[in-house]
Amino acid sequence: MTTPTIPDPREPNNLPPTTINPDLAAERAQTPFNPLSITHFLDGGSEVTTRRRQLESWIIRDPTGIFSNDDNNYLHRTERHTRALAKFVRLVELCRAAGVASNTANKVDGTNAIQHMEGEIIATPEFSTLISTISDDPLPTSLHFVMFVPNILTLCDAEQQSRWLPLCRDWKMIGCYAQTELGHGSNIRALETTATFLKESDGAKEGGEWIINSPTLTSTKFWPGTLGKTANHAMVIAQLIDGEGKPKGIHNFLVPLRSMEDHTLLEGVETGDIGPKIGYNNMDNGFASFDNVRIPRRNMAMRFATVDEGGNYGKVDGGSSSDAASKVAYITMMQVRAYIIHMSSEALSMACTIAIRYSAIRRQGYNADADTKRNNNAPNEFQVLDYRQQQYRLLPLLAASYAIHFTGKHVLARLKNIEHQLVSGTATITKTVVGDIHATTSSLKSFATGFTADGIEDCRKACGGHGFLVCSGLVELSNTYLQSCTVEGDNQMLPQQVVKVLLKLVGAMQAGDEALLKEYEVTDMNYLVAPLKALMENGGDVPTKSTFAFPSNTTTKDFLDVPTLLKAFQHRSACLLLDVAMQLQSSMATSSAQQAWNDALLAMARASRAHASYLLLRDFSNGLQEEQLKGSTSSLGPKELTVLSQCLTLLALYWMDQFLEDFLQIQCLSSSHIPHLRQALLDTLTAVRPSAVGLCDARDFSDFRLKSALGRYDGDVYPAIMKAARQDPLNKESSDEGGVGLGYDESLKKLIAGGVGEYHRSGSEGDGGMKKQAGLSGTMSRL
């Protein structure tokens, strides 16, 4: 039985499905808010939503059919890689034909350095939307616009930009970012690739040259995306050795890899693909080694540091911006981390959309309380989404996807502002501010990506057996996303960097350095000052006891108060941080600093996790408050704000329950509070449940993007599963018209018709014992 059709609102001119699953229709009918209002908010306005849908239609309805993902699951990675290249070329053709970026002009700063190149499509919102719509892993060219061009924009001077950016814009120069080596990743100071300056008097070409060399096997660049077969240039990160033979640290060098005429490798360069991976197999993650490759002196990024024709190293502006280059490099790296954080929201919400829609459709377990029957007297089974454990598995993940959106948006905006101030010199950016944004992005990247990766897998498991099918869409989504836990800083390593920065605040407070503490007022760490001050005044032993605790007479209703929950998370973070500081101070009295640090790593991971979870909840809360203050000018009305506030409460309670040990350890909670906490959690699950499908619909994912038989907008799940099964080459290809399977004639026939597996009793009449089969007699005798 099906219900009359309702329009699919996401794709312009899209014919709506002829039927809608009745359970999904009922879910949408009971949604207590307008999902489209949240869609407009997420996009940035109704006009932006309309434009995004129009752009998506370019991809979905492209007459060439090149963007189809229907047979992705059945292709070898070589085919997927080459087809992904074809998709990108077609995308560029569409952008140029439609005039994307045709009306943009060069935008420069006070030093004439280019901030935006005329006609550059990769800097436009249209390009970002189109890339997302293609929904086919990362495209092989991705590192060109994610890392290579941003490096030229931020670290190269005006003259270098004027030479290279037009080539990038016109796709003559396609680059990658080559930092990671076979033997070194996050510890960039230990990178082994060298760039040694050669003076003209010593045999170099006019003006001097750099000799790029990979002196050891472990210095081979390994893992950079786009490097293997696609890029013809690389921004190589190498140890600079000046004209006097003195090392000057890590710097960036633009190194040609391949001919821009025929794509052949240049002399001294070896590159290749690193081989199959868990996911990301469209991308040619590559290796590269350099055998004394010579490049011009001016191929060193020289916006903040230079080497003259004599090989003399110097800072721009006589050293007044001596730390500017490192700060800008930091910001560039952190922007990539911020994008990873922001994209976590999308990946998690896609998984939730699939799992929640399917859980609304899938029924299991006879409902003994119901009198009605469904589908021709079939038992009236429960919707899987009505089971509490399914709600506990999925609804907090959905809430977290919205929280990560708010935080990702906040962090990206802050980074853009800091980068602008650094590059333009319009404001002084202190090391405290740079350290703070580094701690913010590191903690959030570590926590959000780990939470998202686990969440996607939980969504897959929540779909039962069908979640194990590749056509669920969750398998590829998970495999593709997993790299986020390692790329741009391993999630287990980053907490050390976070706590190292946070401990500086503890040190400043212990020293009473008021001037330094003033710098923290504009940082994300500032929330720690008040609770740390109270804790330090109280003193005490490890574990630190919170100066805030829920009263003994706390009720279930009290656990629904968001400001109180945020205060608990704030004090948790402060206590766990102070625990690390006190543990280090105590340990260093009896062991080396290195051993004390190593012993504190587990405590650091807890402190970093606490910092990240507070920031996520705080940004979610602040974002909703900002929209509430906008009143009628916000896309979010009272009903939308209500359901998102319920999501905020749910997420805070869920994390308090998940990390209950932390709150009990610091004595913010006692065991008597746990029943009230968990009842509040149940009540909030009940409140969010009617909105679950609507909150998924609000993310506005087309079926084209989801690529899921289980998460379809129309809910027509079971025919879609069967269609995917029949499409498998194992079913489509047979050795004859009778449906005989592949491999029958070569192998299976020997068992079924050839008698290979027949049992013959040893010594039976007629065979003289065990049958002697060709080629086996010698083997049998040896056995």
Side-chain angles (χ1 to χ4, degrees):
M1 180 179 178
T2 56
T3 60
T5 181
I6 56 175
D8 179 344
R10 295 153 304 138
E11 302 169 11
N13 304 317
N14 187 30
L15 292 175
T18 56
T19 58
I20 294 287
N21 177 279
D23 289 320
L24 272 186
E27 293 287 336
R28 289 173 178 137
Q30 73 172 358
T31 301
F33 65 95
N34 182 4
L36 191 58
S37 295
I38 294 182
T39 303
H40 293 161
F41 166 73
L42 296 172
D43 283 335
S46 59
E47 298 84 359
V48 183
T49 297
T50 300
R51 177 60 170 163
R52 173 180 56 76
R53 290 174 175 175
Q54 179 188 44
L55 292 167
E56 288 178 351
S57 72
W58 292 6
I59 301 299
I60 297 170
R61 295 176 183 80
D62 181 64
T64 67
I66 189 63
F67 296 112
S68 172
N69 294 315
D70 288 348
D71 58 352
N72 278 9
N73 298 331
Y74 315 111
L75 297 178
H76 186 273
R77 69 175 298 253
T78 301
E79 296 174 288
R80 290 198 63 172
H81 170 75
T82 55
R83 197 173 71 167
L85 286 172
K87 289 181 178 184
F88 187 76
V89 172
R90 178 59 179 163
L91 172 62
V92 174
E93 290 176 348
L94 289 174
C95 288
R96 290 302 185 211
V100 173
S102 60
N103 295 323
T104 60
N106 278 0
K107 183 180 179 182
V108 300
D109 62 18
T111 65
N112 288 323
I114 297 172
Q115 294 178 311
H116 177 79
M117 168 65 61
E118 176 186 358
E120 176 58 274
I121 62 175
I122 66 173
T124 63
E126 289 90 346
F127 181 80
S128 178
T129 295
L130 292 167
I131 286 289
S132 296
T133 304
I134 290 174
S135 302
D136 187 16
D137 274 0
L139 295 170
T141 49
S142 295
L143 271 291
H144 173 80
F145 47 85
V146 172
M147 292 289 285
F148 183 71
V149 172
N151 263 258
I152 295 175
L153 287 168
T154 54
L155 296 177
C156 295
D157 63 29
E159 188 277 330
Q160 291 173 319
Q161 290 180 351
S162 68
R163 282 190 289 129
W164 296 329
L165 288 178
L167 293 172
C168 292
R169 175 198 61 196
D170 296 340
W171 299 97
K172 306 295 184 185
M173 177 184 286
I174 298 176
C176 64
Y177 181 81
Q179 173 178 301
T180 302
E181 296 177 351
L182 188 61
H184 296 92
S186 301
N187 184 13
I188 61 173
R189 288 184 298 177
L191 295 179
E192 299 177 81
T193 303
T194 57
T196 305
F197 188 75
L198 184 68
K199 301 176 185 178
E200 189 176 341
S201 58
D202 292 330
K205 292 182 179 179
E206 183 179 356
E209 292 179 300
W210 296 102
I211 300 176
I212 308 298
N213 195 45
S214 304
T216 63
L217 176 65
T218 51
S219 69
T220 303
K221 294 298 181 182
F222 200 93
W223 276 109
T226 309
L227 173 61
K229 295 294 181 180
T230 304
N232 55 25
H233 287 74
M235 187 65 76
V236 174
I237 315 304
Q239 300 281 359
L240 187 156
I241 301 171
D242 70 9
E244 301 299 321
K246 297 178 181 179
K248 294 296 181 178
I250 292 295
H251 286 73
N252 293 33
F253 300 85
L254 194 144
V255 181
L257 305 173
R258 296 174 177 272
S259 164
M260 293 172 67
E261 299 297 327
D262 59 12
H263 211 58
T264 54
L265 285 171
L266 300 179
E267 184 178 356
V269 177
E270 180 191 9
T271 73
D273 185 271
I274 65 172
K277 308 172 291 288
I278 291 176
Y280 248 58
N281 283 306
N282 283 356
M283 174 63 75
D284 53 327
N285 293 86
F287 65 84
S289 61
F290 305 98
D291 183 10
N292 296 316
V293 174
R294 294 194 181 191
I295 62 172
R297 174 181 65 89
R298 288 281 295 162
N299 274 33
M300 167 191 165
M302 290 193 176
R303 188 169 195 167
F304 300 104
T306 62
V307 170
D308 65 19
E309 295 182 5
N312 302 302
Y313 179 86
K315 299 289 187 180
V316 174
D317 298 330
S320 62
S321 59
S322 60
D323 64 342
S326 61
K327 287 179 180 177
V328 171
Y330 247 0
I331 297 301
T332 301
M333 176 184 67
M334 284 186 278
Q335 281 184 340
V336 177
R337 284 184 184 166
Y339 280 116
I340 292 172
I341 296 164
H342 194 60
M343 294 309 293
S344 296
S345 168
E346 182 171 286
L348 185 56
S349 60
M350 291 180 84
C352 288
T353 297
I354 294 169
I356 288 173
R357 284 179 179 169
Y358 179 63
S359 295
I361 294 165
R362 182 75 172 186
R363 288 181 173 265
Q364 186 166 316
Y366 179 60
N367 184 354
D369 297 328
D371 297 325
T372 59
K373 302 289 185 180
R374 299 177 59 251
N375 296 337
N376 300 321
N377 284 332
N380 188 4
E381 296 178 291
F382 284 109
Q383 287 175 279
V384 172
L385 191 55
D386 283 335
Y387 285 99
R388 284 298 196 188
Q389 66 266 46
Q390 193 77 344
Q391 294 172 12
Y392 186 79
R393 295 170 87 175
L394 298 179
L395 299 188
L397 299 179
L398 181 61
S401 73
Y402 278 94
I404 297 170
H405 169 84
F406 278 92
T407 293
K409 184 178 177 181
H410 167 77
V411 172
L412 281 170
R414 188 173 173 218
L415 279 168
K416 285 292 185 184
N417 183 51
I418 292 174
E419 181 188 45
H420 172 72
Q421 292 175 330
L422 272 174
V423 173
S424 65
T426 55
T428 300
I429 302 298
T430 65
K431 289 184 178 180
T432 299
V433 170
V434 174
D436 173 67
I437 194 67
H438 176 61
T440 294
T441 55
S442 296
S443 66
L444 288 170
K445 189 270 178 185
S446 175
F447 181 70
T449 58
F451 184 83
T452 297
D454 292 342
I456 295 172
E457 174 63 7
D458 284 342
C459 286
R460 187 196 65 76
K461 292 175 182 176
C463 292
H466 291 330
F468 198 65
L469 289 169
V470 174
C471 71
S472 71
L474 291 164
V475 177
E476 182 174 325
L477 180 61
S478 177
N479 289 349
T480 298
Y481 186 80
L482 281 174
Q483 58 89 33
S484 299
C485 297
T486 305
V487 71
E488 292 303 317
D490 180 82
N491 283 0
Q492 299 301 313
M493 177 275 298
L494 288 176
Q496 297 182 62
Q497 299 184 20
V498 176
V499 174
K500 187 175 183 180
V501 174
L502 298 183
L503 287 174
K504 292 180 180 178
L505 170 59
V506 176
M509 294 188 67
Q510 290 175 333
D513 190 336
E514 294 299 327
L516 182 56
L517 287 173
K518 187 76 174 174
E519 295 182 6
Y520 283 96
E521 292 180 0
V522 296
T523 68
D524 284 328
M525 290 184 279
N526 191 51
Y527 79 91
L528 289 165
V529 173
L532 282 173
K533 182 178 180 182
L535 289 169
M536 289 176 181
E537 289 173 352
N538 279 8
D541 300 322
V542 177
T544 305
K545 180 180 177 181
S546 173
T547 56
F548 166 78
F550 283 87
S552 58
N553 62 348
T554 296
T555 66
T556 297
K557 184 178 179 181
D558 294 327
F559 277 104
L560 299 176
D561 183 64
V562 170
T564 303
L565 294 173
L566 287 175
K567 192 171 185 180
F569 277 85
Q570 180 182 4
H571 281 257
R572 169 201 179 210
S573 184
C575 288
L576 295 183
L577 174 61
L578 197 57
D579 278 354
V580 174
M582 295 173 67
Q583 180 180 339
L584 286 170
Q585 291 170 2
S586 174
S587 297
M588 283 191 287
T590 57
S591 61
S592 67
Q594 181 174 344
Q595 185 59 48
W597 186 266
N598 189 34
D599 289 341
L601 289 181
L602 298 180
M604 290 181 191
R606 289 190 289 271
S608 176
R609 182 179 65 196
H611 183 56
S613 56
Y614 173 77
L615 293 179
L616 284 160
L617 294 171
R618 181 205 66 183
D619 291 343
F620 198 171
S621 178
N622 289 346
L624 293 178
Q625 290 177 26
E626 289 171 8
E627 293 304 310
Q628 193 169 20
L629 290 174
K630 290 179 182 178
S632 60
T633 63
S634 172
S635 297
L636 301 178
K639 293 180 180 179
E640 290 74 41
L641 287 168
T642 295
V643 72
L644 290 175
S645 296
Q646 291 170 344
C647 288
L648 169 59
T649 306
L650 173 60
L651 184 60
L653 292 170
Y654 174 77
W655 278 341
M656 188 171 280
D657 186 46
Q658 288 282 296
F659 306 125
L660 187 58
E661 179 185 345
D662 290 347
F663 293 96
L664 291 173
Q665 174 184 300
I666 67 173
Q667 300 181 45
C668 177
L669 289 176
S670 69
S671 58
S672 64
H673 292 125
I674 297 175
H676 296 292
L677 164 65
R678 289 181 172 163
Q679 185 58 52
L681 180 53
L682 278 175
D683 292 345
T684 313
L685 288 172
T686 300
V688 174
R689 167 64 183 88
S691 302
V693 170
L695 286 166
C696 295
D697 288 350
R699 297 308 295 243
D700 214 33
F701 296 125
S702 66
D703 288 341
F704 183 89
R705 289 199 62 191
L706 286 178
K707 298 184 292 185
S708 171
L710 306 186
R712 294 168 57 94
Y713 182 84
D714 63 7
D716 204 14
V717 169
Y718 300 116
I721 293 174
M722 289 306 303
K723 179 182 177 182
R726 292 189 175 101
Q727 191 175 345
D728 193 298
L730 197 59
N731 293 321
K732 294 176 70 175
E733 298 176 16
S734 300
S735 59
D736 62 19
E737 294 181 358
V740 175
L742 297 175
Y744 173 79
D745 289 332
E746 299 87 347
S747 302
L748 192 59
K749 183 177 180 180
K750 296 176 183 177
L751 283 175
I752 297 173
V756 169
E758 292 179 6
Y759 170 70
H760 299 275
R761 176 177 294 181
S762 179
S764 62
E765 293 182 8
D767 62 6
M770 181 181 291
K771 284 188 174 182
K772 303 290 185 178
Q773 296 187 37
L776 292 179
S777 58
T779 301
M780 292 296 104
S781 63
R782 288 194 296 272
L783 290 175

